[in-house]
Amino acid sequence: GEPGEGEAVLLLARGSSHSQCRKTAEYYAEAFREKGWRAECAYCRHGTGVQEAVSSIVGDGYGRIRVVPLFIGFDGASAEAA
């Protein structure tokens, strides 16, 4: 759907040293942007942290943030180690 006034979305992923994780998260963020959302990605590891992403959103004047967890699976280092 469309965002409400002052509403943004934060896509939260674990993060990975594998570039495909970031590419996948950005793919979904761009899909939100195409629908009019202010969208940022944040990662628990290997990338933009939650605090930095939230500060960017709030700094742009958004007061409400919807958090969307992303569970990205692929044959990366963590999958190989498991």
Side-chain angles (χ1 to χ4, degrees):
E2 295 182 9
E5 186 175 334
E7 195 171 32
V9 67
L10 175 67
L11 291 98
L12 180 60
R14 175 182 175 269
S16 170
S17 59
H18 194 287
S19 65
Q20 191 61 36
C21 177
R22 185 177 302 240
K23 289 177 185 176
T24 301
E26 284 297 331
Y27 169 84
Y28 287 106
E30 187 57 34
F32 275 98
R33 291 179 192 121
E34 289 174 0
K35 296 186 182 302
W37 287 88
R38 166 65 165 88
E40 282 286 332
C41 295
Y43 307 90
C44 299
R45 303 173 43 164
H46 302 289
T48 303
V50 173
Q51 186 172 358
E52 184 180 346
V54 168
S55 292
S56 176
I57 292 169
V58 171
D60 286 346
Y62 292 85
R64 184 176 168 146
I65 301 172
R66 291 186 183 211
V67 178
V68 177
L70 292 179
F71 297 94
I72 301 169
F74 58 91
D75 293 328
S78 294
E80 292 171 10

